[in-house]
Amino acid sequence: MTSEVKTVSGSGIPLVGNDIDTDRIIPARFLRCVTFDGLGEHAFEDDRKALAGKHPFDQPQYKGANILVVNRNFGCGSSREHAPQAISKWGIQALIGESFAEIFFGNCVAMGIPCVTMDPEKVKEIQQILTNNPQAGVSINLETMQVLCGDFSASISIDRGARNMFISGTWDACGQLVANAARIRETAMQLPYVGWSNLAAG
């Protein structure tokens, strides 16, 4: 299936700090949007303004990077889906971290964005590698459960159910519905209450 997510490769952005909550990822004033389009440009907006160009998302050496490397309890706070949506719209396709808030993790799974964890010291090591060499290639492999970055390699962890969903492509609920449209119609036709409205109209 085209929805399968077995590997994510590219370059990484090191974002150092624990307990980065969803309000920092996307400030509350941007939650009034009708669609998620355009949220990417506002990712970490207040943090970026405060750091006056020194935030990793504003540094040119990380432009185009698609893997975000974070620390402990990333995505904590409110359950807003806008947070992973903003990160996704920025261009992030996977996250590596020490740990993730449960609801943030679940929202990412529903969007096809793997959030894998590593030993804290290994996370700090890969963050330092990316700080020293922003062009270092990063590869996450959900089949071998390994992260590679140059000469660096480490084992990763992810919830078993989420891993199976990524590898099989079943994380994509909408895709599953579209792929099984004929079977859904067939099942619907066998349900007596589906035709009630037609009987009432007659």
Side-chain angles (χ1 to χ4, degrees):
M1 293 180 61
T2 58
S3 295
E4 293 173 356
V5 180
K6 297 180 179 179
T7 61
V8 180
S9 299
S11 56
I13 307 178
L15 181 60
V16 177
N18 296 322
D19 305 312
I20 295 178
D21 62 34
T22 53
D23 192 54
R24 290 176 62 188
I25 297 171
I26 185 70
R29 62 185 178 277
F30 297 111
L31 304 190
R32 293 172 291 182
C33 59
V34 177
T35 71
F36 297 122
D37 295 336
L39 275 186
E41 63 187 275
H42 301 297
F44 299 103
E45 180 153 312
D46 291 345
D47 284 5
R48 288 160 60 197
K49 285 182 177 177
L51 291 175
K54 294 183 180 179
H55 190 280
F57 271 42
D58 287 327
Q59 296 181 335
Q61 63 267 39
Y62 299 117
K63 185 176 181 180
N66 63 329
I67 298 172
L68 185 60
V69 186
V70 298
N71 296 107
R72 187 179 67 242
N73 198 28
F74 186 82
C76 57
S78 70
S79 60
R80 64 189 68 169
E81 185 186 356
H82 298 68
Q85 286 284 354
I87 290 173
S88 174
K89 298 299 184 187
W90 179 273
I92 299 300
Q93 298 174 339
L95 291 89
I96 300 168
E98 297 176 34
S99 62
F100 298 92
E102 184 175 357
I103 295 176
F104 177 87
F105 176 86
N107 284 335
C108 285
V109 171
M111 295 169 56
I113 303 172
C115 296
V116 301
T117 59
M118 290 195 308
D119 179 84
E121 292 307 313
K122 293 293 186 180
V123 171
K124 293 177 177 65
E125 186 176 346
I126 194 171
Q127 286 178 329
Q128 190 59 53
I129 291 170
L130 294 172
T131 298
N132 296 337
N133 181 16
Q135 304 309 314
V138 182
S139 180
I140 300 169
N141 191 316
L142 294 179
E143 293 186 298
T144 63
M145 296 298 289
Q146 290 281 316
V147 164
L148 302 177
C149 182
D151 295 331
F152 170 91
S153 66
S155 298
I156 57 175
S157 297
I158 189 171
D159 174 82
R160 180 181 298 178
R163 176 177 179 261
N164 291 339
M165 289 170 69
F166 283 124
I167 291 175
S168 66
T170 55
W171 65 268
D172 185 0
C174 290
Q176 291 292 302
L177 288 173
V178 172
N180 292 283
R183 292 175 61 190
I184 292 169
R185 283 192 293 269
E186 180 182 343
T187 300
M189 293 303 294
Q190 297 173 13
L191 301 175
Y193 53 80
V194 172
W196 287 353
S197 60
N198 294 331
L199 291 173

